[in-house]
Amino acid sequence: MIFIRLWMFFAGVLAVLFLGWVGLVGAPGVQLAALPAQTGLRPYTYQQEHGRQIYIREGCVYCHTQQTRPPGFGGDQGRRWGRPSVPGDYVFDQPHLLGTSRTGPDLLNIGARQPSAEWHYAHLFNPRAVVPQSIMPRFPWLFELKAAADPGEPVVDAPAEFRPGGGVITPTREGVDLVEYLRGMDRTYPVKP
Amino acid sequence: MTSITKELETVEFRERLDAESAIPVLVFLASGVLWLLVGSALGIIASIKLHAPDWLATIPQLTFGRVRPAHLDVVAYGWASLAGVGCLIWLTSRLCKTPIRQRGALIASAALWNLGVLYGTGAVLFGYSQGVEWLEYPLPAAAIIAVAFLLFAWSILSTFHARQAEHLYVSLWYVIASVVWFPILFVVANLPIYSGVEHAAVNWWYGHNALAIWFTPIGLALAYYMIPKVIGRPIYSYYLSLLGFWSFALFYNWNGIHHLVGGPVPTWLQTISIIASVLMVIPVMAVAVNHHMTTIGHFKLLRTSPTLRFTVFGAMCYTAVSFQGSAEALRNTQEVVHFTHYTVGHAHLGVYAFLSMILFGSMYYIIPRVTAWDWPRPGAIRLHFWLAALGISLYFLALTIGGWLQGMAMNNPAEPFVNVVAGTRGWLILRSIGGSMMGLGHLVFAFLFFEMLWRAGPRRGASPWEDAK
């Protein structure tokens, strides 16, 4: 037999799982809970939180990370994606969106890097109109085709082929909020230890 | 030997056991095969979209960011889990030498499990994902799957409790441990109480452990059974099995945070997971030596037994993917490959080349025994094998090379990012070709499987090319 007694087998099986949990979840949980939020970090506005939900819904996380690596580890610093991120940068993130893939660039500080809403609208509507070799999906369902824009409403700089019969393309509520979220992505404040 | 233990060793007794588990086994396997087809279609769509981004671009449900997680969830919770459960039910009855218990609960489990996967995957495609890798399913769908799993665990543990076997074979350790482990893991990880970096830690504690304590035990339990069985000689070393099991249980649990190397998690935590990943060499060597020493001298059988051919391929890929994983967890390697397609290649070496190939092999063995019917068309089985084996090889090589180059380019800040993107294109096309070959193989397999259910083949015993009894 595996062990002298069967209950020992079950006890061992439960113990290894529990130990792993203590090490990888429990202990860091205690350590992380003691770290304060970074003082430069502001909670998401209602609009940004809604935009974040769209980011989750469209699965941007499967191509974009939100974590910047330290000097000497990868090209993040050389690409000016931002100082290394710290746990206090994420306290308002539920769920977390750290990501595991960089098919596209890191977006932790995209708001600081690309503050232009017009750029984001044009890019989300059709990435290849902005970056011809891009493989990012387009998101036409975050936009609508209208005869004319309402006063103050942003208009997307879209090629005529996307506007058969004329008219203008404007972002929907979802599109506007997603871009507000992206423009708010800015962890360039200095880190408090 | 008493007359009772003698009776337990007869072919008639085994046939009775197989007949009793037939219905639940076939229900789970058939569900698994259907999800395999769905999962393959989703995978191929996602793959093509990475080099043809304007294909099907206006359908929100088919955008890359929804199809890609739907693919993972369908193959993990649909195909691998359901087919795995089907095989484990049969295996547990055989190893406990007693009919499977709680068959009604198993049928309910299959129904709920399918419902959970359908609901969860629909939710992801229609925009209700939780947004956490491996844990995309909304809570109600996850809860349905948890209940389904508990019903299955109940059946396995009742059967184990009623066992007539005196010896507990190594496969059974893996089965029993995993049915205890997985429900706890799944429920704890799904609790909606985490945020920020701790959530990331929970995410990868779960993500890696889903492989460690659910999918890998399925594959190993089946490999440990099928290889000696088909060859007709006992496993090489009992003590190696023992060492393999406990070192596996101890180290694998600590691997998860190697998914966050270089990220904003405490350094000591990353270091622990890297060390544990390297220590995985011990259980992997134990299993590899054990299987190799059992097979040695019998490699000829690979040509005639589809079970052995698929299973040995899978067992060899287990060794390969584990060694690769140990090396991949090191900081220097992570620096290059972490965020690239290389990781995707590694994942498929694990879940496909190792686990799925062993599931195919086991199903080629189990289905004739529970249906008392033989496979038709040996040529089609060979075709399935070669499409799957060559497909995954091309898939893996393309992403491994392409991903490595992608990582090198990404780490060079002088290389504009868009060039990094453009550089992956050719490799991604090759990946789509490999993936499509695997998908074609699945069509062949599904066709054969449903032919078996309609009894298109020869009656069992009438076919000349069959496995050892």
Side-chain angles (χ1 to χ4, degrees):
Chain A
M1 242 301 289
I2 324 161
F3 253 142
I4 305 145
R5 298 212 192 295
L6 199 57
W7 67 263
M8 291 182 175
F9 173 77
F10 281 102
V13 158
L14 287 172
V16 291
L17 182 64
F18 180 69
L19 276 178
W21 179 86
V22 170
L24 300 193
V25 179
V30 173
Q31 183 186 359
L32 292 169
L35 299 175
Q38 288 295 323
T39 37
L41 182 69
R42 264 168 302 161
Y44 298 112
T45 64
Y46 178 80
Q47 209 184 359
Q48 288 169 338
E49 187 55 47
H50 182 233
R52 198 167 189 270
Q53 294 306 320
I54 307 303
Y55 186 98
I56 292 170
R57 184 183 80 188
E58 304 303 349
C60 314
V61 70
Y62 299 101
C63 289
H64 291 286
T65 55
Q66 295 188 8
Q67 49 176 313
T68 36
R69 311 211 269 182
F73 200 80
D76 298 32
Q77 298 305 316
R79 289 186 185 277
R80 304 188 179 285
W81 280 346
R83 59 153 175 86
S85 56
V86 295
D89 292 329
Y90 300 93
V91 291
F92 301 117
D93 285 15
Q94 189 171 25
H96 84 91
L97 293 173
L98 257 51
T100 50
S101 167
R102 283 182 177 168
T103 299
D106 186 84
L107 295 182
L108 191 68
N109 293 301
I110 185 65
R113 189 158 76 237
Q114 185 49 275
S116 157
E118 282 65 44
W119 187 91
H120 284 293
Y121 289 133
H123 185 247
L124 286 168
F125 182 72
N126 184 8
R128 275 156 295 291
V130 183
V131 182
Q133 285 181 295
S134 180
I135 57 169
M136 173 159 146
R138 37 196 177 99
F139 297 94
W141 51 91
L142 303 178
F143 299 86
E144 56 194 341
L145 182 62
K146 283 183 171 178
D150 297 337
E153 197 179 25
V155 170
V156 181
D157 177 16
E161 52 168 314
F162 291 104
R163 294 178 280 126
V168 296
I169 288 172
T170 60
T172 63
R173 174 89 260 148
E174 294 181 343
V176 171
D177 290 355
L178 175 59
V179 169
E180 269 323 290
Y181 169 64
L182 293 173
R183 289 186 348 127
M185 293 285 285
D186 181 352
R187 269 93 161 173
T188 51
Y189 46 79
V191 181
K192 293 270 157 55
Chain B
M1 233 191 235
T2 65
S3 64
I4 297 196
T5 42
K6 241 188 246 151
E7 193 224 306
L8 298 183
E9 302 306 324
T10 58
V11 175
E12 291 70 37
F13 180 71
R14 283 205 290 274
E15 282 176 354
R16 217 190 87 211
L17 293 186
D18 293 350
E20 297 227 24
S21 52
I23 290 178
V25 168
L26 288 175
V27 168
F28 273 101
L29 294 185
S31 313
V33 172
L34 289 176
W35 286 117
L36 175 65
L37 297 183
V38 177
S40 311
L42 291 168
I44 293 169
I45 294 174
S47 178
I48 293 175
K49 277 172 170 265
L50 277 192
H51 49 82
D54 286 314
W55 181 57
L56 302 175
T58 54
I59 308 165
Q61 288 75 23
L62 293 183
T63 190
F64 177 85
R66 304 189 194 187
V67 174
R68 142 80 176 76
H71 160 70
L72 182 143
D73 293 333
V74 164
V75 294
Y77 301 116
W79 151 246
S81 291
L82 286 165
V85 165
C87 294
L88 294 191
I89 293 169
W90 176 86
L91 185 66
T92 305
S93 160
R94 278 278 187 116
L95 291 173
C96 292
K97 298 195 198 300
T98 192
I100 193 80
R101 300 303 147 100
Q102 312 303 349
R103 282 184 294 170
L106 284 178
I107 302 298
S109 168
L112 284 173
W113 207 312
N114 278 301
L115 181 72
V117 176
L118 187 67
Y119 173 2
T121 309
V124 172
L125 291 176
F126 283 86
Y128 300 93
S129 164
Q130 293 211 71
V132 184
E133 259 179 274
W134 281 94
L135 292 166
E136 284 90 359
Y137 284 179
L139 285 185
I144 294 173
I145 293 177
V147 172
F149 197 99
L150 287 174
L151 289 170
F152 155 66
W154 181 34
S155 159
I156 294 293
L157 293 174
S158 321
T159 310
F160 179 70
H161 189 66
R163 69 190 178 279
Q164 290 179 277
E166 279 166 30
H167 173 68
L168 297 185
Y169 185 61
V170 45
S171 297
L172 205 51
W173 316 342
Y174 283 97
V175 178
I176 300 299
S178 71
V179 302
V180 174
W181 279 329
F182 187 72
I184 303 175
L185 174 74
F186 190 64
V187 170
V188 172
N190 266 297
L191 296 177
I193 56 171
Y194 313 104
S195 67
V197 170
E198 194 193 8
H199 195 196
V202 173
N203 186 178
W204 290 109
W205 171 71
Y206 174 79
H208 207 85
N209 265 2
L211 300 168
I213 68 184
W214 175 229
F215 295 115
T216 306
I218 298 176
L220 290 184
L222 290 167
Y224 262 118
Y225 186 85
M226 293 300 164
I227 293 176
K229 192 79 182 173
V230 174
I231 290 178
R233 57 143 70 154
I235 193 79
Y236 171 68
S237 161
Y238 171 80
Y239 290 99
L240 269 181
S241 319
L242 200 60
L243 172 73
F245 177 80
W246 284 110
S247 53
F248 170 92
L250 206 57
F251 301 143
Y252 216 154
N253 263 294
W254 291 81
N255 275 8
I257 310 300
H258 68 209
H259 288 263
L260 295 167
V261 171
V265 284
T267 317
W268 64 265
L269 194 57
Q270 304 177 23
T271 307
I272 285 192
S273 276
I274 296 172
I275 295 173
S277 310
V278 173
L279 286 173
M280 282 303 291
V281 167
I282 298 170
V284 172
M285 277 303 282
V287 172
V289 170
N290 226 353
H291 287 169
H292 184 77
M293 295 307 283
T294 310
T295 318
I296 203 155
H298 294 78
F299 283 101
K300 272 199 312 287
L301 278 175
L302 292 183
R303 250 181 287 147
T304 48
S305 162
T307 298
L308 199 62
R309 192 187 309 176
F310 277 96
T311 312
V312 167
F313 183 96
M316 283 161 59
C317 289
Y318 173 67
T319 312
V321 72
S322 306
F323 283 150
Q324 186 195 21
S326 297
E328 197 174 338
L330 300 174
R331 281 203 167 78
N332 293 346
T333 333
Q334 274 302 290
E335 183 182 358
V336 179
V337 302
H338 186 176
F339 297 124
T340 69
H341 300 302
Y342 181 97
T343 315
V344 182
H346 173 67
H348 284 76
L349 189 63
V351 177
Y352 195 84
F354 157 48
L355 178 63
S356 298
M357 292 300 264
I358 288 187
L359 286 171
F360 292 137
S362 304
M363 286 164 78
Y364 279 118
Y365 189 86
I366 295 171
I367 295 167
R369 283 162 180 80
V370 294
T371 55
W373 219 256
D374 267 337
W375 290 102
R377 305 177 210 285
I381 297 182
R382 266 194 293 275
L383 182 65
H384 172 208
F385 178 80
W386 287 111
L387 282 171
L390 294 177
I392 185 64
S393 303
L394 178 60
Y395 185 111
F396 176 74
L397 286 176
L399 290 193
T400 302
I401 302 171
W404 186 271
L405 297 176
Q406 182 195 6
M408 296 299 281
M410 197 147 34
N411 285 353
N412 172 11
E415 185 79 74
F417 193 87
V418 63
N419 290 2
V420 182
V421 175
T424 57
R425 206 186 138 81
W427 303 106
L428 292 170
I429 294 175
L430 284 180
R431 187 265 292 266
S432 288
I433 297 172
S436 305
M437 288 167 67
M438 291 147 68
L440 271 181
H442 303 157
L443 283 177
V444 173
F445 178 61
F447 181 78
L448 282 169
F449 178 83
F450 288 104
E451 257 196 337
M452 272 297 261
L453 293 193
W454 314 143
R455 316 213 131 174
R459 182 179 289 282
R460 190 159 156 67
S463 115
W465 56 277
E466 209 246 316
D467 278 330
K469 290 287 165 317

